[in-house]
Amino acid sequence: MFRITVGTVNIGEVTKKRVMAILDSNRLSSGKYVEEFEDKFARYHGTSSAVAVSTGTDACTIALAMLHDITSARDDEVILPALTFVATANAALHAGFRPVFVDVDRDTYNINPEKIEEAIGANTRAIMPVHLFGRPCEMDKIMDIAAVKNLRVIEDASEAHGALYHGKKVGTFGSLAAFSFYVAHIVTTGEGGAIITNDEELAASARSLRAHGRACKCKKCVLNISSSRCPLRFELDENKDRRFFFERIGYSSKMNEVEAAIGLEQIDKLDEIIEKRRKNLDFLNTHLKEFEEYFQLFKDKEGEVISPLAYPVLIRRGSKLQRKDIVDFLEKNGIETRPMFSSIPTQQPAYKYLGLKPGQFPEAEYIGTHGFYIGVHQDIKEEDLYFVVETIKKFIKKKG
Ligand SMILES: Cc1ncc(COP(=O)(O)O)c(C=O)c1O
């Protein structure tokens, strides 16, 4: 069936061979391929470490959890954008934080830095900006606020592999950053995530937390690729086994060998993948320009290079278009769409317990009811994009 999808999975020959070798080896749980994936992902970002985990949600959770002792720090707060995929907020709760939401900027869909300071209180420990749809947040302003207020910055870069802010890759501004390799994302391992950092102590904590809180945090032991002797010479008395000795409450969140092998080839091709996605992004921006009175386009702002997860379309205020009508029309014509997330605190029933009232996050709420996104991935061809533009044109002629 003809369908222009939001995400793509394209497994190359090298990957197929690697996966077969893993299946033949009977070694599925994390091992040498996970180690290689981590090394490559860290090298791509120029960070000293990457720690691979099961999902992007776990990457966010573990990056936050290591900032405090989850058994006692019940009042700690983290600042998040109101508009994001629900996983960012869920991760804050899983890590023992109270989420404090800040509205987004309508033009960028990202956290509005001008509104962060008023949300900071005595219990604030961190700011977690989300680079939504692959557009970098305004990191200069966010880093300045964090420095003045002595807060950690943990980036949720789940949707923004390889995006640049003033020439620097997102994920390398804060103390830690979380990435997702879910199927609809720029790099996919099926399910998967990673944390990157330049701080070896934080990387060690991440390794421990993904493995139930193990006391020995060395790379080889946590990935079970050491021989009988720990390379860090982590010693316990003879009645204790370092594989079963835990110093904190952790999570069970290891990446497996098949997932790592699927990701390896994509990291090698990541710049090429981003280039193709950006070409598709440019195509849509050029051809949808004539409809700018109806929709907000998705363009780089000064100093940023978007690495597009997808193409978000926001119906402008004052336009007569209804999201439901256009989404139905596109879907009927084989163009997959997804809603542009929502205001987590006021539009998601799961967050009703916070008692926040609709109207408190006007930009996130507007985007939550008027935004949707379509695909721009590397396997979408120019003729498909022509079809997308023609379909939108047809819709506007009918309704506009
Ligand atoms: C912004 C953001 N954060 C976190 C996640 C969670 O990633 P995962 O689905 O790999 O758990 C996603 C997933 O789509 C996301 O878009």
Side-chain angles (χ1 to χ4, degrees):
M1 198 181 80
F2 172 79
R3 197 150 162 80
I4 300 173
T5 55
V6 166
T8 185
V9 182
N10 192 337
I11 312 272
E13 287 310 311
V14 177
T15 301
K16 284 181 190 159
K17 278 200 190 118
R18 274 191 193 128
V19 169
M20 285 317 293
I22 291 164
L23 298 181
D24 286 340
S25 77
N26 286 338
R27 171 64 196 262
L28 298 181
S29 67
S30 58
K32 66 174 186 170
Y33 283 103
V34 173
E35 188 181 32
E36 196 181 334
F37 180 84
E38 290 180 334
D39 289 347
K40 264 197 179 159
F41 200 62
R43 226 176 301 128
Y44 180 80
H45 289 94
T47 55
S48 57
S49 295
V51 179
V53 293
S54 305
T55 63
T57 308
D58 283 358
C60 293
T61 303
I62 290 172
L64 285 168
M66 73 180 87
L67 302 186
H68 64 189
D69 176 354
I70 62 164
T71 59
S72 57
R74 286 293 156 216
D75 294 327
D76 283 356
E77 294 176 354
V78 57
I79 291 181
L80 309 172
L83 184 87
T84 177
F85 181 59
V86 71
T88 318
N90 289 351
L93 283 148
H94 295 322
F97 280 85
R98 274 204 221 132
V100 173
F101 295 95
V102 166
D103 206 359
V104 295
D105 179 331
R106 170 101 54 103
D107 288 341
T108 64
Y109 312 132
N110 284 334
I111 193 163
N112 186 340
E114 313 304 328
K115 297 200 165 160
I116 291 178
E117 278 198 68
E118 64 202 54
I120 295 173
N123 294 322
T124 311
R125 298 284 165 265
I127 306 171
M128 191 167 206
V130 181
H131 308 291
L132 214 62
F133 300 111
R135 181 199 286 287
C137 292
E138 286 182 69
M139 292 314 295
D140 286 352
K141 288 186 185 165
I142 294 169
M143 295 309 291
D144 283 352
I145 296 167
V148 170
K149 301 286 183 181
N150 197 22
L151 302 174
R152 291 272 196 182
V153 173
I154 315 293
E155 295 169 70
D156 181 349
S158 292
E159 302 192 356
H161 313 68
L164 301 174
Y165 181 76
H166 294 293
K168 192 167 142 76
K169 287 194 174 106
V170 303
T172 61
F173 290 85
S175 318
L176 296 147
F179 288 83
S180 161
F181 309 120
Y182 175 61
V183 277
H185 288 205
I186 299 166
V187 171
T188 180
T189 56
E191 302 286 353
I195 296 157
I196 60 170
T197 182
N198 272 317
D199 182 326
E200 190 36 44
E201 244 178 71
L202 292 177
S205 288
R207 287 196 289 272
S208 166
L209 281 166
R210 80 169 161 196
H212 310 280
R214 261 163 76 152
C216 176
K217 306 169 190 75
C218 91
K219 241 175 148 174
K220 303 279 178 194
C221 288
V222 176
L223 290 176
N224 284 326
I225 42 185
S226 64
S227 52
S228 55
R229 202 163 170 74
C230 166
L232 285 189
R233 311 215 181 281
F234 183 84
E235 299 293 355
L236 292 165
D237 68 50
E238 59 191 22
N239 287 322
K240 296 187 187 107
D241 183 320
R242 69 176 190 278
R243 294 168 303 166
F244 291 89
F245 197 67
F246 306 96
E247 65 175 21
R248 61 178 89 193
I249 310 289
Y251 303 85
S252 176
S253 184
K254 294 194 281 292
M255 179 180 272
N256 68 46
E257 289 288 84
V258 173
E259 289 165 337
I262 291 172
L264 277 173
E265 198 178 349
Q266 292 172 62
I267 301 176
D268 288 337
K269 295 180 179 163
L270 185 48
D271 287 335
E272 210 182 297
I273 290 172
I274 293 170
E275 206 183 303
K276 283 194 189 148
R277 285 174 173 256
R278 283 188 55 81
K279 215 171 136 223
N280 286 346
L281 176 79
D282 285 348
F283 183 97
L284 287 178
N285 279 330
T286 305
H287 290 82
L288 294 178
K289 194 165 172 31
E290 63 177 299
F291 305 120
E292 243 187 312
E293 63 181 295
Y294 299 102
F295 308 120
Q296 185 166 295
L297 307 183
F298 193 51
K299 290 184 177 163
D300 295 328
K301 296 204 180 284
E302 208 193 314
E304 66 182 32
V305 178
I306 294 172
S307 175
L309 172 94
Y311 192 91
V313 181
L314 183 65
I315 298 171
R316 287 195 191 278
R317 217 188 275 279
S319 133
K320 286 186 271 137
L321 303 183
Q322 296 296 319
R323 178 171 72 175
K324 188 180 177 326
D325 293 343
I326 183 160
V327 159
D328 285 351
F329 192 75
L330 292 172
E331 292 278 355
K332 230 190 287 155
N333 282 282
I335 299 162
E336 187 185 8
T337 66
R338 294 193 187 163
M340 228 163 112
F341 309 120
S342 49
S343 165
I344 303 293
T346 51
Q347 293 177 324
Q348 289 297 345
Y351 283 80
K352 250 193 181 149
Y353 79 95
L354 290 171
L356 298 170
K357 300 272 174 294
Q360 279 181 261
F361 304 94
E363 303 301 341
E365 289 164 17
Y366 182 82
I367 297 164
T369 47
H370 293 79
F372 65 93
Y373 61 96
I374 56 176
V376 282
H377 59 74
Q378 62 276 19
D379 295 320
I380 296 182
K381 301 191 174 47
E382 203 169 283
E383 71 227 41
D384 297 328
L385 293 176
Y386 265 118
F387 178 73
V388 170
V389 170
E390 285 307 310
T391 309
I392 291 175
K393 231 179 233 180
K394 243 192 244 170
F395 176 81
I396 302 264
K397 261 198 187 148
K398 248 172 57 170
K399 295 272 181 181

